[in-house]
Amino acid sequence: MPQIVVEDLIKTFRISKRTPGLWGSLKGVFSREYRNVHALDGVSFSIDQGDLVGYIGPNGAGKSTTVKILSGILVPDSGRVSVMNHTPWIDRIDYVRRIGVVFGQRTQLWWDLPVIESFELLRDIYSVPQHKYAAKRDELVEMLDLGALLDVTVRQLSLGQRMRCDLAASLIHDPELLFLDEPTIGLDAVSKLAVREFIARLNKQRGLTVILTTHDMDDIEALCRRVLVISDGRILTDGTLADLRASVTRERWLTVDLAATDMAVTTFADPDAQLIRRDGNRLYLAFDPQRVSVADLIARIARNYPVHDLFVENPPIEAIVARIYAQRRISPVAHPSVNTDHDAVAEK
Amino acid sequence: MKPYLAIFSSHFRALLQYRAAALAGVGTQLFFGIVRLMIFDAFYRSSTIVQPMTLDEVTTYIWLSQAFLLLTMLNPDAEVSAMIRTGNVAYEMTRPLDLYTLWFTRGFSGRAGPILLRSIPIFVIAGLFLGLRMPASVSAMLIFIVSLCGAFLVASSIVALLTISMLWTISGEGIARMAPAAIFFFSGMVIPLPLFPDWMQGLLALLPMRALIDTPLRIYLGHLTGADAFAAIAHQYFWVVAFITAGRAVLAVGVRKLVVQGG
């Protein structure tokens, strides 16, 4: 039986509408109009023990709402959730003992206390026996390289240091399931790598189930084999990264560097490859590997153009996801070009 | 129980650090005590009618009320308010703790440290130099301690209720400004309750505010003894139960409709 089962989850928020202007404000005192926002509109999925699942979607898609319901914070309007045989919002206290939660934009450490005192307070809150706590603390300190940070007051930590401490804090009570809500948000490249490496290790070595929401597609590519895509409160796709790619497009990308000496090439034409973008001597081409084999295409391009270097790659996951969002937003027939996909990614 | 004790002690210790704030508090409270004393002194001199309290008793009442001033300054818990405003309250709910007990503990520990830090110096200084008398008797002293605990519990359960109301109002400004005025007036902080007109006494005896200041102080003075003292303490604990019950009920509704701000 899966560790997490979510069925037909619905959550609607009621937001009061403010009419602008003085008259509107006066009116608002006596009567308010409300507008319903469907944060979740029938979300279902299931997750097995030991999975590392990426949960992605644009802002306001319902990612955080799902995580908050799964971690016992919010109560849904309707739907069924069973996590390790608990319904989070019903037996919240017994349930949250078994899970760990990290919200990247907040901290669970006590702002005014040294890191180690936050850990000790969490030990007491979760009633972790001292010997277990000591072992766990030493292990986490070693894995996350926290030795030098333990006596520092939380307010003095950098964001990257704080996130490492927050990750450790969420694991003090040895949870069976970890929710990470944008754990790499705002981190520099080095800290991101450290966080990713740690998450991958936890998942691989302990079989800890991890549910990760993020806007950072590199997180997804580095960590998650399975990806759930949500938009407007509905699950759009659910599957492996490869499935996700295939469902949107079979397209591969070919990047060609033309020989620097020859600037004469002003136009590019090939029956099977489409020019997406040109950057000086660098051409970005898209092609369908089922229509033309990579070898044939490369041979032909090398024959017709002065090629200096070339390589083939999958379209970045950003482009894929942006295309999914775009396809669902606009009518299913419309095929937005790759360029608008890039813009959509840049906006986020 | 242990988790709550750990939270209590960490808060208590943290607040004991604010010695400068306590020192400033002691200074202000002594100053305002003297001002209040001068006003009452003037009243007593200009009146020929026999008052329900002697000026000596009023003096002791004023110093004790200055010492325990913070029992009447009841605002929503600042930490929880900030959490509700920023959405950090999400983390509070992922702890295996009863949310009401947690917030009650926060409110209680947020008050105990500062009150202790301020009341002891005021006691000593006012006792030595400013006319604060010792308790009426040893038994009065013991019952006073019981009723002081009652006052702490009433204060904390009111704070918890105010804090929970933040789930609706978010900013809490309105309540934070309204509640202290009513509490101040009806607790005996402005005028000792026995000096209020007779027609108000019935109402004052029912309202919860007297449990904060007037009840322990009059037990200390020996005004309330035996059955009267017992009834006054019962009144305190009645309100503790009432505020806790109300707080829990309101919280249960609040959690169901909770919208966590941001992200």
Side-chain angles (χ1 to χ4, degrees):
Chain A
M1 178 169 155
Q3 194 176 23
I4 303 176
V5 179
V6 174
E7 275 170 16
D8 212 18
L9 216 51
I10 292 180
K11 175 83 187 175
T12 307
F13 292 112
R14 217 161 70 115
I15 306 223
S16 68
K17 266 198 280 195
R18 292 261 165 86
T19 337
L22 179 63
W23 177 238
S25 308
L26 279 175
K27 238 170 48 181
V29 175
F30 300 105
S31 76
R32 286 214 180 140
E33 280 177 67
Y34 293 92
R35 149 176 90 84
N36 287 331
V37 176
H38 301 280
L40 297 180
D41 197 7
V43 166
S44 306
F45 56 83
S46 68
I47 289 171
D48 289 319
Q49 163 86 46
D51 268 0
L52 205 171
V53 178
Y55 195 50
I56 58 180
N59 287 328
K63 295 187 304 286
S64 288
T65 305
T66 314
V67 169
K68 281 169 189 157
I69 289 173
L70 284 179
S71 48
I73 297 164
L74 295 184
V75 184
D77 299 339
S78 69
R80 193 177 79 91
V81 173
S82 166
V83 191
M84 302 178 290
N85 295 320
H86 294 278
T87 301
W89 61 92
I90 291 175
D91 45 359
R92 182 182 69 85
I93 292 180
D94 288 328
Y95 168 67
V96 295
R97 246 178 238 295
R98 304 176 63 186
I99 64 164
V101 184
V102 174
F103 296 109
Q105 314 209 39
R106 324 185 183 291
T107 182
Q108 57 189 315
L109 305 164
W110 278 259
W111 206 242
D112 298 316
L113 299 180
V115 174
I116 187 72
E117 287 196 31
S118 281
F119 289 176
E120 284 167 6
L121 209 47
L122 287 168
R123 169 198 66 195
D124 293 338
I125 285 174
Y126 286 93
S127 312
V128 182
Q130 178 59 31
H131 66 279
K132 275 195 180 170
Y133 163 73
K136 195 79 201 169
R137 177 199 58 205
D138 295 345
E139 183 193 335
L140 290 168
V141 165
E142 193 268 319
M143 280 175 87
L144 285 160
D145 191 22
L146 302 179
L149 304 179
L150 290 180
D151 295 322
V152 180
T153 312
V154 174
R155 64 164 90 252
Q156 292 169 311
L157 297 176
S158 75
L159 190 58
Q161 295 171 330
R162 207 209 71 204
M163 184 46 63
R164 273 150 56 206
C165 295
D166 254 307
L167 277 169
S170 71
L171 294 165
I172 297 267
H173 58 292
D174 207 8
E176 299 157 63
L177 175 61
L178 186 61
F179 292 101
L180 302 174
D181 194 6
E182 306 192 16
T184 56
I185 197 162
L187 300 190
D188 61 57
V190 179
S191 304
K192 272 185 185 173
L193 284 179
V195 166
R196 271 182 213 142
E197 194 196 336
F198 177 70
I199 296 170
R201 245 176 102 185
L202 277 179
N203 175 254
K204 207 168 272 172
Q205 294 178 356
R206 311 285 171 67
L208 181 72
T209 313
V210 180
I211 294 172
L212 170 76
T213 80
T214 184
H215 281 296
D216 189 327
M217 295 305 156
D218 293 337
D219 287 348
I220 298 286
E221 214 140 7
L223 289 172
C224 309
R225 267 171 300 110
R226 181 173 167 203
V227 184
L228 286 166
V229 181
I230 185 174
S231 181
D232 294 326
R234 290 166 182 275
I235 301 283
L236 294 185
T237 70
D238 175 0
T240 63
L241 260 184
D243 288 345
L244 177 62
R245 284 211 166 88
S247 76
V248 177
T249 173
R250 295 189 304 264
E251 185 178 283
R252 310 278 293 281
W253 285 5
L254 175 65
T255 306
V256 180
D257 281 343
L258 299 176
T261 47
D262 195 341
M263 290 299 288
V265 182
T266 48
T267 55
F268 175 86
D270 189 280
D272 295 314
Q274 189 193 350
L275 179 68
I276 315 170
R277 196 152 56 88
R278 179 169 182 172
D279 202 0
N281 275 340
R282 177 166 280 196
L283 306 176
Y284 296 90
L285 310 175
F287 67 97
D288 180 347
Q290 299 201 335
R291 261 177 58 194
V292 56
S293 82
V294 183
D296 289 351
L297 182 68
I298 290 176
R300 190 162 68 215
I301 290 176
R303 216 167 35 239
N304 296 342
Y305 299 94
V307 172
H308 170 67
D309 191 9
L310 50 72
F311 57 97
V312 180
E313 61 184 336
N314 282 318
I317 184 79
E318 277 96 337
I320 303 283
V321 169
R323 201 174 289 195
I324 294 179
Y325 297 160
Q327 278 176 6
R328 307 288 163 137
R329 284 268 163 77
I330 314 164
S331 70
V333 221
H335 272 283
S337 77
V338 175
N339 274 322
T340 54
D341 288 352
H342 271 289
D343 292 341
V345 172
E347 271 170 27
K348 73 164 204 273
Chain B
M1 220 30 220
K2 196 182 162 208
Y4 303 104
L5 280 177
I7 288 167
F8 172 78
S9 90
S10 84
H11 267 75
F12 189 76
R13 277 181 293 132
L15 286 167
L16 283 181
Q17 313 267 320
Y18 295 108
R19 291 189 205 99
L23 202 65
V26 169
T28 346
Q29 277 150 247
L30 282 172
F31 175 76
F32 277 101
I34 292 170
V35 172
R36 287 175 69 197
L37 266 185
M38 285 157 65
I39 295 169
F40 279 100
D41 189 50
F43 276 137
Y44 272 79
R45 278 169 199 270
S46 63
S47 168
T48 50
I49 307 162
V50 178
Q51 300 293 338
M53 287 172 92
T54 66
L55 185 57
D56 265 5
E57 287 173 332
V58 170
T59 307
T60 298
Y61 193 104
I62 285 175
W63 286 123
L64 288 175
S65 63
Q66 290 301 108
F68 297 112
L69 172 74
L70 288 184
L71 277 177
T72 62
M73 311 269 266
L74 305 184
N75 297 316
D77 185 71
E79 250 180 34
V80 180
S81 305
M83 284 189 219
I84 291 174
R85 215 166 35 241
T86 59
N88 249 2
V89 68
Y91 273 127
E92 293 275 278
M93 301 189 65
T94 63
R95 304 294 175 220
L97 300 176
D98 175 64
L99 203 56
Y100 183 85
T101 316
L102 177 61
W103 287 1
F104 184 92
T105 308
R106 283 180 179 280
F108 186 79
S109 38
R111 226 143 281 276
I115 290 181
L116 209 67
L117 268 187
R118 287 166 204 221
S119 61
I120 292 171
I122 296 178
F123 242 81
V124 173
I125 296 170
L128 290 177
F129 308 111
L130 298 167
L132 169 73
R133 282 196 310 194
M134 288 302 106
S137 62
V138 177
S139 69
M141 183 68 198
L142 294 176
I143 307 171
F144 167 70
I145 290 170
V146 174
S147 67
L148 197 59
C149 295
F152 261 99
L153 292 176
V154 173
S156 310
S157 57
I158 293 178
V159 167
L161 189 59
L162 291 176
T163 306
I164 292 161
S165 75
M166 300 278 300
L167 288 173
W168 278 266
T169 59
I170 303 294
S171 87
E173 276 287 300
I175 291 176
R177 273 155 207 253
M178 256 156 34
I183 291 169
F184 227 60
F185 190 71
F186 291 110
S187 63
M189 271 313 295
V190 182
I191 301 164
L193 295 192
L195 300 181
F196 275 71
D198 288 340
W199 59 268
M200 277 187 77
Q201 293 298 334
L203 176 69
L204 291 172
L206 280 179
L207 287 175
M209 290 77 145
R210 78 172 165 112
L212 296 168
I213 292 288
D214 190 65
T215 298
L217 269 47
R218 282 165 76 187
I219 289 173
Y220 182 101
L221 287 172
H223 265 207
L224 298 175
T225 51
D228 289 343
F230 182 79
I233 289 172
H235 167 268
Q236 285 186 316
Y237 286 87
F238 165 79
W239 278 108
V240 172
V241 172
F243 282 125
I244 290 179
T245 313
R248 283 191 172 281
V250 176
L251 182 62
V253 178
V255 164
R256 282 203 72 87
K257 60 151 290 246
L258 181 70
V259 176
V260 174
Q261 306 290 312

